[in-house]
């Protein structure tokens, strides 16, 4: 389990057992600490600075993913995403291995959850994830269940807007439900049809939640995303497929630190 401890809870079935012999077979003591990026904060007004750089490990081999993650962090990445292909190939072992390798790095488990929200959040949180991704177009019951699990285990929920028809309406619904991060994501097949994640980002800029953007981004488009107010810029292929991953990550880092479309201001009410 990750070393994120702040609020002590009782949860049956957790691998850390209580010292109380009467409860040893039943209640298991767990406590989590939110990393600084995820800690609950009072109402605030802030001017947006450099966004978070999240690198998506959309590969299938764990050993390769670990090497890429190490090099990406050296290049300035902030968060590491255990991409959906890696989750499907290696399961929660991928999360556990990356947590052991990077004990203080924020890990995002891109499960694309569409059912059993609470259960999947529990699995990812116990393996060491800080943020769990669900599909935004799933039923509200799944979202609510995922949020309950997230509150219990001290993690956050990112909703992936891929394939959502009415992005603005759905994003507002999700924010009202309590989802902490909305991901303006355009999938690979949609990119082939000419769809651009920056267009989604433009529609979501006034929401009082964190906004991520993803979908075929490189240094140039990541810089534009930063200029348009993205809180989190998610980059996959242009970093992880590069011959020099550290250099590629540094190029994106520099690009989002100095946006090309001007300086943006974002108001947060969360």
């Amino acid at each position: 389990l990750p070393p994120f401890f702040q609020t002590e809870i009782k949860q049956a079935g957790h691998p850390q057992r209580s010292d109380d012999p009467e409860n040893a077979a039943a209640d298991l003591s767990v406590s989590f600490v939110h990393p600084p990026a995820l800690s609950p904060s009072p109402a605030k007004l802030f001017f947006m600075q450099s966004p978070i750089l999240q690198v998506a490990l959309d590969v299938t081999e764990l050993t390769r993913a670990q090497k890429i993650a190490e090099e990406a962090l050296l290049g300035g990445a902030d968060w590491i995403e255990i991409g959906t292909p890696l989750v499907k190939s290696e399961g929660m072992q991928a999360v556990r291995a990356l947590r052991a390798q990077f004990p203080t790095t924020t890990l995002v488990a891109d499960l694309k959850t569409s059912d059993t929200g609470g259960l999947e959040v529990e699995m990812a949180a116990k393996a060491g994830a800080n943020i769990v991704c669900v599909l935004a177009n799933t039923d509200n019951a799944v979202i609510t269940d995922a949020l309950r699990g997230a509150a219990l285990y001290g993690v956050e929920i990112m909703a992936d807007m891929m394939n959502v028809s009415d992005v603005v309406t759905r994003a507002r619904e999700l924010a009202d439900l309590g989802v902490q991060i909305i991901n303006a994501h355009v999938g690979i097949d949609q990119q082939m049809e000419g769809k651009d994640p920056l267009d989604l980002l433009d529609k979501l800029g006034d929401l009082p939640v964190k906004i991520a953007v993803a979908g075929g981004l490189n240094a140039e488009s990541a810089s534009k995303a930063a200029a348009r107010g993205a809180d989190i810029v998610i980059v996959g292929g242009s970093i992880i497929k590069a011959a020099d991953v550290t250099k590629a990550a540094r190029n994106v880092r520099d690009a989002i630190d100095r946006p090309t479309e001007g300086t943006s201001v974002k108001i947060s009410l969360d």
Side-chain angles (χ1 to χ4, degrees):
L1 282 175
F4 307 138
F5 287 87
Q6 181 172 358
T7 305
E8 188 167 290
I9 58 175
K10 292 281 188 176
Q11 173 65 28
H14 195 283
Q16 283 194 341
R17 293 191 173 274
S18 169
D19 292 333
D20 184 351
E22 295 182 0
N23 295 327
D27 289 342
L28 307 171
S29 182
V30 180
S31 37
F32 291 86
V33 157
H34 300 267
L38 304 180
S39 295
S41 59
K44 59 186 178 181
L45 176 67
F46 69 92
F47 293 96
M48 179 181 161
Q49 298 179 352
S50 295
I52 289 165
L53 174 55
Q54 175 177 320
V55 173
L57 301 178
D58 289 329
V59 296
T60 58
E61 297 174 359
L62 179 54
T63 53
R64 181 184 173 204
Q66 289 178 288
K67 181 62 174 175
I68 292 171
E70 180 179 5
E71 294 175 0
L73 289 169
L74 287 173
D78 301 298
W79 294 0
I80 295 296
E81 173 191 320
I82 297 90
T84 309
L86 186 57
V87 169
K88 289 185 175 182
S89 176
E90 301 281 358
M92 289 301 105
Q93 178 56 27
V95 184
R96 285 188 286 270
L98 285 160
R99 172 52 65 214
Q101 185 177 2
F102 308 109
T104 62
T105 299
T106 295
L107 298 182
V108 181
D110 188 9
L111 304 188
K112 290 189 172 64
T113 295
S114 60
D115 194 13
T116 61
L119 176 60
E120 294 201 3
V121 167
E122 178 184 2
M123 290 165 52
K126 286 182 175 180
N130 306 102
I131 300 169
V132 183
C133 298
V134 303
L135 287 177
N137 61 3
T138 194
D139 191 84
N140 280 356
V142 179
I143 302 293
T144 302
D145 195 35
L147 287 166
R148 279 195 293 263
L152 180 64
Y153 288 101
V155 301
E156 288 192 348
I157 297 299
M158 178 186 290
D160 189 324
M161 303 302 290
M162 186 171 61
N163 299 325
V164 173
S165 55
D166 187 345
V167 172
V168 175
T169 299
R170 184 54 176 158
R172 291 190 180 280
E173 291 173 349
L174 293 168
D176 289 342
L177 287 172
V179 170
Q180 294 92 352
I181 306 170
I182 302 294
N183 184 5
H185 180 204
V186 170
I188 293 174
D189 292 338
Q190 293 175 307
Q191 293 171 41
M192 297 297 290
E193 296 176 351
K195 294 183 179 180
D196 188 340
L198 297 182
D199 294 335
L200 292 186
L201 177 62
D202 289 339
K203 297 176 181 179
L204 300 175
D206 63 342
L207 288 175
V209 295
K210 287 172 282 188
I211 304 296
V213 61
L217 298 181
N218 54 27
E220 180 181 1
S221 52
S223 180
K224 293 178 181 179
R228 297 184 191 191
D231 298 292
I232 304 156
V233 175
I234 304 173
V235 180
S238 68
I239 290 178
I240 68 172
K241 294 179 181 179
D244 188 334
V245 170
T246 299
K247 181 179 179 180
R250 175 54 59 191
N251 288 341
V252 176
R253 175 82 266 166
D254 291 343
I256 65 177
D257 286 346
R258 290 182 286 275
T260 58
E261 291 188 350
T263 303
S264 59
V265 176
K266 178 161 181 170
I267 295 176
S268 173
L269 302 178
D270 60 350

